[in-house]
Structure formats: C-alpha cells, structure tokens
Amino acid sequence: MKEAASKQIESILKDYHWMMNSIKILRDSMKDAGEELTAQYGDEAGMPKAKGSTSDPVYRECVRREKRYLVIHKYETKISIIQDRMHLITDEREIEVLHWLLEGKSYRWIAMHMGLSHTHIGRIKDSIVKKMSECVPNVKNGTNDTKLLKHKSAC
C-alpha cells in the first residue's frame, strides 16, 4: 500500500504547479457567475422543451459551472495532500528541491541551480516522496484505487 501512496504523491508533486495555476484561473473565471445570462420569459417560456435535454441556458450554465467547481475541489484536495505533509521535510537540500519541484522546475534545472547532478536530484525527490508517503492515515485497503482523500491528520 505504501508503494501506491508513493506513486500518488509522486504524481501530485509532478502536477502540483499546473494544478495551482488552474485553481487560480478557474476561481477568477467563476467570479462573474451568472452575468450575461437571461432566463426565458413570455411565450417562449411556456413552450415545450426538447426531449432529452433542457434548453434553458441558465440551467446549462449552472451545470457547467458546477462541474468546474468539482474540478477545483479535486485539485485542492490533491494539493492539500502535499501541503499537509510539507512539515515532514526537514533536510535543507530536500526543502530546496521540494520548493523547485512545486514551482514546476525540471530535475536538470534544479541540478544546475544547486550544483548537483540530475540523478542526485531524482534521489532527493525519492527521499521526499518516501517521507511524505510514510504519513498516509486513510488509504483504502484491498483495492487498487488508493486515493488519499481523507488525509487530515496530525501525522
């Protein structure tokens, strides 16, 4: 089970930067919710709707935005897995590598910045993942779908 948690944490570390950017952009785009939308009134409102879907533009926009809010929530949940475990990383090199990984930098860029080899950066990242995956309170047992969803704990 620890291996599955390690793979998930490694995946989140890789995707952290773009998920943060997506959350910012999605939140900004959701601020103007409901503007320039009008409900149907008069004769058109009383007419039968097409079967199989609704023709109400306001309803469809609400459904679309609800899906976007769910995406934001999913990204926030994944990001909080890393943020809740950052206190476990205490070594200065590991902290520096973690910082640059979260900024979306490549192993080679980090290696040049720190004066190390890119393979050494990979080993440091593996150590970070190992430390973070040791603190996995609620991984589902007996399934292949190991999501760290209810991860709020003091570790």
Side-chain angles (χ1 to χ4, degrees):
M1 291 315 258
K2 294 268 186 197
E3 184 178 322
S6 294
K7 286 183 180 181
Q8 185 180 11
I9 287 174
E10 191 170 349
S11 173
I12 296 169
L13 278 175
K14 189 183 298 182
D15 297 340
Y16 185 94
H17 183 71
W18 70 260
M19 284 193 289
M20 282 298 293
N21 288 337
S22 290
I23 289 171
K24 290 176 195 172
I25 292 168
L26 287 170
R27 282 184 179 166
D28 285 343
S29 71
M30 302 301 269
K31 285 182 182 175
D32 64 343
E35 291 186 13
E36 299 180 14
L37 296 175
T38 58
Q40 296 177 349
Y41 296 103
D43 292 338
E44 196 173 322
M47 299 297 288
K49 306 288 188 257
K51 292 185 179 182
S53 69
T54 179
S55 63
D56 183 9
V58 176
Y59 174 75
R60 286 185 292 183
E61 181 65 11
C62 289
V63 170
R64 185 189 71 81
R65 287 178 183 266
E66 180 63 26
K67 289 178 183 177
R68 300 311 291 168
Y69 280 118
L70 293 174
V71 168
I72 292 171
H73 179 69
K74 182 175 85 171
Y75 291 166
E76 288 173 340
T77 301
K78 287 183 176 184
I79 285 171
S80 66
I81 290 170
I82 300 299
Q83 291 174 342
D84 292 345
R85 289 167 173 75
M86 288 177 69
H87 70 278
L88 300 171
I89 310 305
T90 55
D91 181 68
E92 288 182 21
R93 280 187 177 186
E94 290 177 349
I95 291 170
E96 188 72 9
V97 169
L98 178 60
H99 169 74
W100 291 117
L101 286 173
L102 297 181
E103 290 294 322
K105 301 298 183 187
S106 69
Y107 291 178
R108 291 193 187 274
W109 188 95
I110 299 169
M112 287 183 60
H113 171 71
M114 294 180 70
L116 303 169
S117 72
H118 71 278
T119 55
H120 189 75
I121 298 301
R123 287 192 298 269
I124 293 172
K125 188 259 320 166
D126 290 341
S127 174
I128 292 168
V129 169
K130 182 181 178 203
K131 287 179 181 179
M132 286 186 167
S133 66
E134 287 173 354
C135 178
V136 182
N138 289 322
V139 175
K140 295 178 186 176
N141 292 326
T143 65
N144 292 332
D145 185 27
T146 56
K147 294 182 180 176
L148 302 173
L149 290 177
K150 297 178 182 173
H151 61 276
K152 302 223 180 202
S153 74
C155 295

